[in-house]
Amino acid sequence: MKHIIYIILMLPVLMFSQDQLSGEILEANTENKAIPVAGANVFWLNTSVGAVSDIDGKFSIPYEKSYKKLVISYVGYQTDTLTINQPKFITHYLKASSALDEVVITSRKQSTVKSYMKAANVITVSSEELLKAACCNLSESFETNPSIDVNFSDALTGTRQIKMLGLTSKYILITTENVPSIRGSSQAFGLSFIPGTWVESIQITKGAGSVTNGFESIAGQINAELQKPSTDDRFFANLYVANSERMELNTHINTKVSDKWSTGFYIHGNTHQQKHDVNDDGFLDMPLYNQINVMNRWQYTNPQKGLVSFLNVRYLNDSKQAGQVDFDPDRDQFTTNFWGSEIETERFELTTKFGYVNPEIPWQSLGVQLAFSTHNQESYYGLNRYDINHNSVYSNVIYNSIISDSRHKIKTGLSFTYDHYDELALNSDFERSERSFGGFFEYAYDNLDKLTLTAGLRFDTHNLLGEFFTPRLHLRYTPWEKSALRFSVGRGKRSANIFAENQSMFATSRTINILNTNGNIYGLDPEIAWNYGVSYLQGFNLFGRKGDVTFDFYRTDFQNQVVVDWENPQEVNFYNLKGDSYANSFQLELNYNIFEHFDLRTAYKYYDVQTDYLTGKLSKPLVPKHRFFANASYVTNAEEGAKSRWKFDVTYNWLSEQRFASTSSNPVEYRLPEESPTVGTLNAQVTKVFSPKFEVYVGGENVTNVRQDNPILGANDPFGSNFDTTFVYGPIFGSMYYAGLRFKIK
């Protein structure tokens, strides 16, 4: 009995006798005052083991020999990562952050990062990952990412279209530094207007986005962070040449004007003037084009006063010519001599961002975003003319703070958006103005140990969409070490810009019909959808190498959708949804570091996208049910400080059969089978880094030379009733090889 009592008395001691790391967190200041930081997050990197500092800034956290990196973070301060070799009492001073941008810490520099801690399912793609492909513009930046699908939208313009969760880019909120940018008039070609070298990183959020960025996100959000003048190279040049005689030049010139001001000039130009007709159908396999894209970027940083701001001024001029090889626009425009198309786009943008972190109360911050753009496109497709002028104003004010400690964060603010559209289509003028004013509130709970959630609600009043609420919820739970179980749900609402988003329909002989007339936008009602998602991320160590596996499932249910119906081969019909429309997306992804510097990424995706058309429920055309993706990358073992290395990257994509819209009522010679063949493409790139200043690269896209034969229906009679350029399921040009060089001065 005495022994039992002794054991009971010693049990609390035994329970807490495991090693502990203790310490205190203080604020670094110039007055030599020891100011404790209460509510700071402390956790071991790549684990779910964490703690929070108390009112005196003190903390205690379990310690094991395998724990090496301790992360300390707090709103308004720089996030620090400490190397710990043994349990002891530590004192750490946090420095106030000089910017509002989030800091991502990883145990080793990775080109693609998945967070175990965030509530939302966010994938961060670094500039290093973007260099694994030619990456000439944003639409080509997703070739090595399995979460985004890339394909051509038609057989004429060479425009690449992206999809997420089985839905096209119009259902994705695409932002540049969290300012909506690819929307409205720029939906069709806007991704090609952002050069890849300008991008510092890309954040991909699957499922419902944040209420702070608006109400339009349905399938997810893609945010492109641009290079910062204060951290980008002083001089950078990228020269790219392809065997198709496509040429591109990117130049960055950055200057530190003073200790607080930096500025950068970003110049991009591309051209392709060689006519190609590999499949001998009489049409250009890729358009002739020129683009000039110039941006001047200013950055102001004042850490002492907690201020940071950016000012961007950008001008773009883009011209494309497509159609038959013998088409001469000076001679044949708006005639039936030869079929041709020209698209002339001029765009101007002015964007400013202002951020303030209170030096006295660093968990309080204020952000202001203002943007203006004017977009003017004049174009024709054969005998169909389409012009659009779009002026847009966007403003957003965000206030950040905490409740009691940094585990409870809040965001609140107001936003205003104005869009004026003036379109010439179907020989008629369509003009409208949209004005929306909204407020939002978002609460985030961050326990680190087990649970993280973000819950947001916004209310908007819109002159055409009415008054409505937009709820969003993201939840992350850690059942065990190196794991993240996530759930999300959210609602989205948007105006369908039916002409700008579906410009490929003008390159057909189809009659365009709008079947509803009672709505406020082209006679149609707004699109409304709910998105639900669940995902599971598990990290592991196998044979001493790190890896992770991800399962995710997302479903999008449309309460209303503007249905784009291609099922009658002589018509394109737009009408409000009557019945069901949904998109189910399942993805299984495996990442594994096979050996030092060699990474393998594989993924399988399954799509079930169905809509009730006038002819019944059908799967969406040209969406493969199955996709397999694999990417392998290897970097030669360059020691720290070594000047040269080799980089090798290979990407394989396989797509299953894709359903064609019905052509059964066409004459026999203009009919297509019900489904396309399967398609498998292989891309490869080799980069030789000679020094930190200079590198060269060579690569190939579609090196197995897979080509879609006869991609244009009725190419022999382009002014006849069966002409259609939209049945594109794979590459048209075939293999394309390129080479380039990069030169930079730090």
Side-chain angles (χ1 to χ4, degrees), residues 323-334:
Q324 289 184 289
V325 175
D326 295 327
F327 174 76
D328 182 347
D330 295 330
R331 179 193 65 199
D332 303 322
Q333 180 178 348
F334 294 123

Side-chain angles (χ1 to χ4, degrees), residues 20 78 102 121 194 221 227 232 245 372 429 441 480 538 557 632 660 690:
Q20 296 279 320
Q78 295 179 10
E102 181 182 7
N121 188 3
I194 301 179
Q221 179 175 341
Q227 299 283 359
D232 192 15
E245 299 191 33
F372 166 78
D429 185 62
F441 180 86
W480 41 73
Q538 179 65 59
D557 272 316
F660 285 128
F690 290 94

Side-chain angles (χ1 to χ4, degrees), residues 229 234 253-258 261-264:
R234 285 193 296 123
I253 303 172
N254 293 286
T255 304
K256 190 173 180 62
V257 179
S258 67
W261 283 97
S262 298
T263 187

